[in-house]
Every structure is written in structure tokens, then in C-alpha cells.
Amino acid sequence: MDKHTILVVDDNRTNLQIIREVLEAEYTLMLAISGEMALKFLTKKKPDLILLDLMMPGMSGKETFFRIRETPENQSIPVIFLTANQDEDVEVECLNMGASDFITKPIVPEILKRRIGKTIELEDLHKRLQEKVEEKTLEVEVLALQAIGAIVHTIEAKDDVTQGHSVRVAHYSRAIARALGYDEQLVARVYQTALLHDVGKIGIPDSILKKKGRLTPDEYNQIREHTTIGANILSAISTISYLEDGARYHHERFDGLGYPKGLHGEEIPVIGRLIAVADVYDALVSRRHYKAPMNEASARAELLAGSGTQFDPRMVKIFIGLLDDGTIAKVKEEATIQLKTEIMNADAAAEA
Ligand SMILES: [Fe+2]
């Protein structure tokens, strides 16, 4: 393992020399004779620990400490103060400020070594624990997403007309997110969110979802509920907080005439405005219980006609670009292949 690095700050050169002799075999040292010099060092390299003299002319140890803590990346570096006076009040004050420990001068080599060793050991343990927690959180997220993905497939499998809608909308939404220049982490979130946008349909009776004729106003109101039901389901997955907005806002309209909240323009979270375009496009070009599929040119014209009223014009512009350069056709093909594979896997699992 690499040596840990310690930044030592003391205006007294003799002290610096002593500390160096005690620690240099075990640690990489950065020696600073003032607070200003220490701050300059910190802009270049992050040490694993800071040993900071409390009494210094110019910038005091206390001031140096607070200046160090102003930078977010420096907030977790443990600091041990070197105090000359054996004054309990000063020592308590150091700990209250957030110091890890204090060591009184004159320096006793063995005490210096042990205190530093303990602090670094604790810090390493803390870091490893934090990494483990992050790793486990990610595992839980993946599990939750897989579980919900399975629910989506179950809902869609009940109805061969809408089968694949969510997966296609997720693929289209991901293409829009990439065209918006989102980083890959955000792109992945958009995909997951879009995949689950209609999960609330689980709470709507089949007799309404599959109705061939015109819906009554009451039935239409029930269908609208799928946005809120979906958001409530997804809000239960507290580790992935971003999912619920897609379900809640994908039926809002740019002109404020949508549901469930009737939000207007940019009040609608961007994920809702994004999924809305992908969702409607797929609905238009797909067969539904109540209609035949529309051809691509007519669907393109429909989206343009709704730009600024039903849809965010920016999202329409991007989507039309993706239609025209063949991206949508390509990702639709990918979605179809993915669906076939998933259905085959599910059948194989059912037989086993
Ligand atoms: Fe929907």
C-alpha cells in the first residue's frame, strides 16, 4: 500500500524538524511554515491528515483550520492540533471546532506516532465503510429496478396491443436525453424513469384499459389516475427518488391543459416534458384497442402541430431531428430485439 501523506503546519522550524524525524520513515510529509503555505499546498494535493500548530504568528492555527474547511473537498481531512499550553479549555475548543484530536507540545515521539496512526486507521475504516454502503445502495437500487421492470412486463404481457410500449418509450426517451447532451448517468436515469412511466396502470381495471369504444367521462377520470398511482408506487422506492416524476408528469401539457396538476410550460419537470413526446409518438404509430396505427409522416406532423401547445417545443425539435436522422427507427429496432429476448427468457424461466 502507498504511504499516507501528512501535511504538517508549524511556524517553528525546530518543531518541524523533530516531527519530520519521527514520521518520515512511515509517511510522506508536506511541511509548511505558515497557514498561507498550507493552504497553497492543499490546492495541489490532498493529504490523509493535517497536523496543525495552534499558535502561529500571522494566520493562526484556528484561522487556518477554518480556511481549510471552507473548501468542500478538504472538509473530511482529519486535523490534529498541536497545542503548546496544557490548557483544557483550548483543548476542548479544538475538539468542538471539529478537530480529530490534539497533541500537546513538547512533542513526545511515541505519542505523536500512536495518535497519528490511530486517526489514520479510523479514517481508512470510515472510508471503506462508506464505499461498502455505496456499493450496497447500488445493489438495492438495481434489485428494485429489476422488480419493477418485471411488474411492467407483467402489465404489458396482459395486453398484447400495448405490449412493448414502455420499452419503446424508454428507448426513445434515452435517445432524446443523449441528444440533450446529458451525461450517461443521467441518460440511464431517464431510461429507467421512462420505462416505469405507466406503472400506475396496474391500478386501473382491464375493462377500462382495454375498452374498444369511447370512454365515459368517469372512465376517463379513472385512466388519469394512473399518473398519481404510478408516482405513489414509485415514491415507495426511497433509494431512487427520481423515478416518480416521470409517472406523475408525463401527461402534463405545455399549455397547462394536461393532468394531473395542470402545470404550465417550464413548471412541468423536464422529465415529464421529455417522456410526453416519446409516449405520444409511440401511441400514435402503434395499434390501440380504439384505433389503427398512424404512419410515420402523419405522426411527425401531429407532433409538430402540438409543439408549444401539447409539447415543449424544444423536445419536439429534438425528436423530429431524431426521426429525420434515423435514430428513432434504429432505437425502435433495438427495443424490439430487446423485447423478443426478454420474452424468450421469461418463457424459458417459466418452463424451467
Ligand atoms: Fe401514461
Side-chain angles (χ1 to χ4, degrees), residues 160-172:
D160 57 349
V161 170
T162 53
Q163 195 165 44
H165 170 71
S166 297
V167 173
R168 285 190 301 274
V169 171
H171 276 74
Y172 300 153

Side-chain angles (χ1 to χ4, degrees), residues 60-110:
S60 71
K62 213 164 143 181
E63 196 188 339
T64 308
F65 177 80
F66 287 119
R67 292 281 300 275
I68 290 172
R69 288 293 196 246
E70 277 171 13
T71 310
E73 307 88 83
N74 292 341
Q75 279 165 5
S76 59
I77 305 173
V79 173
I80 297 179
F81 275 110
L82 291 167
T83 59
N85 42 358
Q86 299 205 346
D87 182 348
E88 281 173 8
D89 289 347
V90 173
E91 287 155 3
V92 170
E93 199 191 340
C94 288
L95 296 174
N96 281 342
M97 283 192 296
S100 297
D101 204 351
F102 58 86
I103 295 171
T104 44
K105 294 196 271 191
I107 285 158
V108 181
E110 202 47 37

Side-chain angles (χ1 to χ4, degrees), residues 132-147:
K132 261 267 173 278
V133 169
E134 276 163 22
E135 198 180 293
K136 287 285 165 207
T137 309
L138 202 70
E139 273 177 36
V140 171
E141 282 185 11
V142 169
L143 270 177
L145 285 170
Q146 283 171 346

Side-chain angles (χ1 to χ4, degrees), residues 197-198 201 226 250-251 279:
H197 75 281
D198 266 346
K201 285 194 174 164
H226 82 277
H250 72 277
H251 285 291
D279 183 26

Side-chain angles (χ1 to χ4, degrees), residues 231-295:
N232 289 342
I233 293 172
L234 296 172
S235 72
I237 310 170
S238 54
T239 54
I240 326 178
S241 56
Y242 53 85
L243 292 174
E244 61 177 287
D245 280 356
R248 195 185 306 278
Y249 299 114
H250 72 277
H251 285 291
E252 294 290 351
R253 288 174 52 113
F254 206 66
D255 57 13
L257 299 176
Y259 63 89
K261 295 196 170 180
L263 297 182
H264 203 275
E266 313 241 317
E267 283 172 3
I268 308 164
V270 67
I271 185 71
R273 285 179 267 144
L274 189 161
I275 296 174
V277 176
D279 183 26
V280 171
Y281 174 78
D282 189 66
L284 289 173
V285 299
S286 303
R287 186 170 69 85
R288 287 290 162 95
H289 292 287
Y290 48 89
K291 71 164 194 64
M294 190 181 261
N295 67 41

Side-chain angles (χ1 to χ4, degrees), residues 5-6 23 28 40 65 67 71 92 98 100 114 125 136 148 150 195 198 203 215 217 232 256 260 274 287 308 340 351:
T5 303
I6 300 176
L23 299 177
T28 303
K40 209 176 272 175
F65 177 80
R67 292 281 300 275
T71 310
V92 170
S100 297
R114 294 219 177 180
L125 201 68
K136 287 285 165 207
I148 299 174
L195 186 63
D198 266 346
L215 294 172
N232 289 342
L274 189 161
R287 186 170 69 85
K340 276 189 189 144
E351 273 170 34

